[in-house]
Amino acid sequence: MKTYLFVYSIGPVQSFIAAARKTEDFWSGSYLLSFLTERTIEFALQFESFNAKVLSPGITLAEIEESKRNPSEVASLPNRFLMRIEAESDEDVRQFGIQLEEITKQSFIKLGNRAFKNVFPTLSNHEYITNLINKQLTNLLEIFWAFEQWDTNVPGTYNEVRTTVEKRLASVKNNRTFAETAQDGLVCTVCGMREALNEGNINEHYSIGKMRHVMKQTWAKRARKYQETEEDKGARIKDNERLCAVCLTKRLTREVILEQNNAVKTRFDSFPSVVEFLTDKDKNPYYAIIMMDGDDMGKWLSGVDGKILPSFYKVTEDYHQEFSRRLTIFSKEKVPKIVEKPATGEKKYTGKLIYAGGDDVLAFTTLADLLDTAQNLRKAFSADDVLGKNATSSMGIVIAHYKEPLQKVIRTAQRMEATAKQYRNNYQEKDALAIALISNSGQTREMTIPWYLDADKNESVIDVMKELENALGKHLSSTFLYHFNEAFAPLVHRDKKPDVSKAMIESELRRLINRATNNKAITEPLIRKLLQMYDLTDTFKEYIHLLETVRFISSKLKDTNKEGVV
């Protein structure tokens, strides 16, 4: 028998998750990918002839069985896994990969067909719709896998083989094929990409109005529990919605997975709407989405550039398993306690997790808990029992009005996380925070800044933001911000910083803050930190957006009847 390293990836990820009209759709995107990963790993581990062992993520067959009986409501498995298997030949491994691919596809199709039958029991045997469902679900999935033989008799070769198999996977992804799909009907109202499910009775020569009429007749056939009534407007599927197979499966994920698993739980609680993350719908109608991702995970897995776990001096199979174990501590133990800490007073939620797996976190949070949650997640990732002080992470945050289209908010959060990953200054790369504030007026403010004020990481930027947020309205008027912007904005060229000396910036900022405060002893240390933050932002606009974001948070959290400082 030969030993192989085998890596398997399921996609798409970003576009699949972002296609969401409701928070329920957003949650189910991550959950479905995690579910498909779990089903595929389960099949691989049950395939005894290959003696498979999962190296990443850290999961066993016993844990999968327990998950099926008592499923978590938070997606916790990434869309890829690495395992060690044994086989007689390369061809046996190829057949193994083909069978895993088929399991992934059939697991998805099975969910989709169950969702369709639940919604349309009178159309459950409709051949056209069944074929459309199978085609849409199969065409969505992007499954890639690769393998490499590993001679375990030669010491010290594990990391070399692992690196090779990862490169093979990357090459396979770069050579993906795209299938052309003809569509005759109206598109899905959620994703806008695929044809909404229909009975095949739409002629290409129909007018748009007639197409809508025919489609409405089809979707009026859904079961009563999925229809809106005069008494209940909160139906799972609205009267003005028409969904494709993918979005219908996402919408019914929580019920069809429990049905399929015969779980102890009979139902998941519905994922809260964005309104439930508002401190006050009238005075503070804003919430936030957090997307966090560990930096340089490839280097940590390879043990290069000093990125290696304590007590290890080289990357081995044991190292990889320990690395996975530590990330499991972060995602399953620390993250839920940080994001979903108990609410106080009239608040129902402080935050709600959508995904926590490995080094990735995706969550909703209230505006009041945003800064603390972000800071505690960053600290937890660098804890001694996770990856240690040398580990860094980047985060994208979006603060948005509850009426802002969710799909836009999600895509902005994804973009902000990517922006944080691109941050550079004189002494670091990545390890940054990118925030977008989308106000109800439609204006968007964006800024990126590192987590810490200096290379030694003695002072946190979040601490400075909280210090400024607390001072505004108590000891400091926000008028200094407007005057500072008015003074230097005319000198800004192509979004860069004003071509003036640092001493002039410092002098004017100090003068304006001292004029806007009633407690100079408190604000003097703050001025120093704000000047450091000025150096860390790339453009003058970003710096102003940073200050405006803090002012915005402060104003929304303060009692609107409380008198500010003049």
Side-chain angles (χ1 to χ4, degrees):
M1 295 289 280
K2 301 175 183 177
T3 301
Y4 293 85
L5 288 185
F6 180 92
V7 62
Y8 190 92
S9 169
I10 305 172
V13 179
Q14 300 281 30
S15 60
F16 182 59
I17 293 173
R21 191 174 184 180
K22 295 181 169 185
T23 53
E24 180 80 7
D25 301 330
F26 193 22
W27 169 87
S28 62
S30 293
Y31 202 89
L32 265 174
L33 287 173
S34 181
F35 172 83
L36 293 177
T37 299
E38 185 177 84
R39 289 291 80 79
T40 309
I41 291 176
E42 178 186 27
F43 178 81
L45 294 178
Q46 290 174 338
F47 214 138
E48 295 182 359
S49 61
F50 287 92
N51 194 25
K53 178 182 180 182
V54 182
L55 303 179
S56 175
I59 192 169
T60 64
L61 192 56
E63 289 172 332
I64 290 175
E65 290 299 327
E66 177 59 27
S67 172
K68 290 169 70 176
R69 288 190 297 269
N70 294 290
S72 168
E73 295 190 23
V74 178
S76 60
L77 291 178
N79 67 312
R80 53 175 288 151
F81 58 85
L82 174 70
M83 56 176 45
R84 167 182 174 161
I85 62 173
E86 295 177 356
E88 293 286 352
S89 66
D90 289 4
E91 182 57 31
D92 288 343
V93 182
R94 288 190 187 92
Q95 292 303 315
F96 175 74
I98 291 170
Q99 290 182 70
L100 290 193
E101 191 169 339
E102 187 62 21
I103 285 295
T104 305
K105 291 177 180 177
Q106 290 305 315
S107 296
F108 195 27
I109 290 172
K110 188 175 180 180
L111 288 179
N113 282 315
R114 184 181 288 268
F116 170 67
K117 289 177 181 179
N118 284 5
V119 176
F120 295 100
T122 61
L123 297 174
S124 58
N125 296 318
H126 197 288
E127 184 178 356
Y128 180 86
I129 300 181
T130 300
N131 290 336
L132 183 59
I133 290 171
N134 293 347
K135 182 175 70 172
Q136 288 186 345
L137 296 181
T138 301
N139 288 346
L140 171 84
L141 292 176
E142 298 174 354
I143 301 173
F144 304 100
W145 47 271
F147 62 90
E148 183 72 14
Q149 186 178 343
W150 174 26
D151 187 350
T152 56
N153 294 318
V154 180
T157 57
Y158 170 80
N159 197 36
E160 180 182 344
V161 175
R162 187 200 63 79
T163 301
T164 300
V165 77
E166 292 287 359
K167 288 180 178 178
R168 287 189 186 278
L169 182 67
S171 297
V172 171
K173 286 185 175 182
N174 286 334
N175 290 319
R176 71 184 70 184
T177 58
F178 299 90
E180 290 186 9
T181 304
Q183 299 186 154
D184 298 320
L186 299 175
V187 296
C188 172
T189 54
V190 173
C191 68
M193 298 190 307
R194 287 169 291 273
E195 184 178 1
L197 295 182
N198 63 85
E199 299 176 67
N201 53 354
I202 295 179
N203 189 296
E204 63 178 358
H205 301 296
Y206 282 180
S207 66
I208 292 294
K210 189 168 183 178
M211 284 185 180
R212 287 174 177 164
H213 176 72
V214 173
M215 189 72 76
K216 187 175 182 179
Q217 288 180 321
T218 296
W219 282 84
K221 296 177 183 179
R222 63 191 190 275
R224 185 173 179 80
K225 65 182 282 191
Y226 301 102
Q227 294 193 26
E228 290 183 309
T229 64
E230 289 299 325
E231 297 78 22
D232 180 19
K233 292 294 184 182
R236 189 77 64 83
I237 301 172
K238 301 290 187 183
D239 286 344
N240 64 349
E241 290 185 306
R242 54 180 187 270
L243 310 180
C244 65
V246 175
C247 293
L248 181 66
T249 305
K250 287 175 67 175
R251 186 66 61 85
L252 267 71
T253 290
R254 63 177 68 247
E255 71 180 61
V256 295
I257 286 180
L258 291 177
E259 289 174 6
Q260 179 172 304
N261 287 346
N262 295 315
V264 175
K265 286 185 178 180
T266 57
R267 65 185 294 273
F268 285 148
D269 292 331
S270 295
F271 197 90
S273 70
V274 294
V275 175
E276 296 184 66
F277 296 103
L278 308 180
T279 307
D280 185 304
K281 190 173 180 179
D282 297 319
K283 299 176 182 177
N284 180 15
Y286 288 84
Y287 69 98
I289 291 180
I290 289 175
M291 297 188 77
M292 174 179 164
D293 184 38
D295 294 331
D296 299 320
M297 288 297 101
K299 291 183 178 180
W300 278 94
L301 289 171
S302 301
V304 299
D305 292 346
K307 292 177 170 55
I308 193 167
L309 295 176
S311 76
F312 284 88
Y313 64 94
K314 66 178 181 178
V315 174
T316 62
E317 185 178 358
D318 290 339
Y319 172 86
H320 207 153
Q321 289 185 279
E322 174 63 12
F323 186 81
S324 296
R325 187 189 71 83
R326 287 173 176 249
L327 287 181
T328 300
I329 290 175
F330 171 70
S331 61
K332 289 193 173 182
E333 297 179 18
K334 292 180 179 288
V335 173
K337 292 178 182 178
I338 294 171
V339 174
E340 299 184 345
K341 55 185 178 291
T344 58
E346 297 181 358
K347 287 196 301 183
K348 190 173 181 180
Y349 298 98
T350 57
K352 189 74 173 173
L353 272 171
I354 284 185
Y355 176 80
D359 59 307
D360 292 327
V361 178
L362 177 58
F364 283 85
T365 181
T366 65
L367 195 58
D369 296 283
L370 171 60
L371 295 181
D372 282 338
T373 298
Q375 184 175 43
N376 291 333
L377 286 173
R378 173 63 183 85
K379 287 180 178 178
F381 192 71
S382 299
D384 291 339
D385 57 345
V386 182
L387 298 189
K389 64 180 181 180
N390 292 329
T392 66
S393 65
S394 297
M395 181 181 290
I397 291 175
V398 178
I399 300 168
H401 192 276
Y402 78 97
K403 290 186 176 181
E404 196 70 32
L406 182 60
Q407 204 164 131
K408 175 184 175 182
V409 178
I410 296 168
R411 294 192 185 280
T412 303
Q414 292 171 339
R415 181 169 57 80
M416 296 315 293
E417 183 190 66
T419 300
K421 289 280 188 184
Q422 296 169 3
Y423 180 82
R424 304 286 188 275
N425 63 26
N426 294 332
Y427 53 83
Q428 76 172 66
E429 296 183 356
K430 306 179 183 180
D431 197 20
L433 173 69
I435 301 177
L437 168 61
I438 307 175
S439 64
N440 191 33
S441 64
Q443 182 182 11
T444 299
R445 301 173 179 88
E446 297 181 3
M447 64 84 181
T448 307
I449 196 164
W451 284 103
Y452 296 94
L453 290 179
D454 53 44
D456 296 329
K457 301 183 178 180
N458 293 319
E459 289 189 280
S460 164
V461 163
I462 294 288
D463 282 336
V464 181
M465 293 174 71
K466 290 194 289 187
E467 188 178 339
L468 177 58
E469 182 255 307
N470 185 59
L472 289 168
K474 288 185 179 179
H475 312 292
L476 181 64
S477 169
S478 60
T479 55
F480 86 90
L481 168 57
Y482 303 114
H483 294 310
F484 184 75
N485 186 37
E486 286 179 352
F488 292 103
L491 304 178
V492 173
H493 180 61
R494 292 182 179 176
D495 277 348
K496 300 298 181 182
K497 290 182 178 176
D499 188 17
V500 297
S501 68
K502 178 69 180 297
M504 182 178 291
I505 295 289
E506 179 177 352
S507 174
E508 185 63 6
L509 184 63
R510 175 170 279 104
R511 183 185 73 83
L512 292 173
I513 288 181
N514 284 335
R515 193 174 72 176
T517 184
N518 60 10
N519 192 333
K520 295 181 181 180
I522 292 178
T523 55
E524 187 57 35
L526 180 61
I527 294 172
R528 175 184 60 81
K529 297 170 188 176
L530 291 179
L531 286 168
Q532 286 180 276
M533 290 170 73
Y534 179 84
D535 290 336
L536 294 172
T537 50
D538 286 338
T539 68
F540 184 76
K541 180 188 288 186
E542 273 195 310
Y543 184 64
I544 294 300
H545 284 181
L546 169 61
L547 299 182
E548 286 180 341
T549 299
V550 177
R551 178 203 59 77
F552 180 88
I553 294 173
S554 177
S555 68
K556 294 302 177 185
L557 298 185
K558 296 288 189 296
D559 184 351
T560 55
N561 294 322
K562 187 173 180 180
E563 246 181 68
V565 179
V566 179

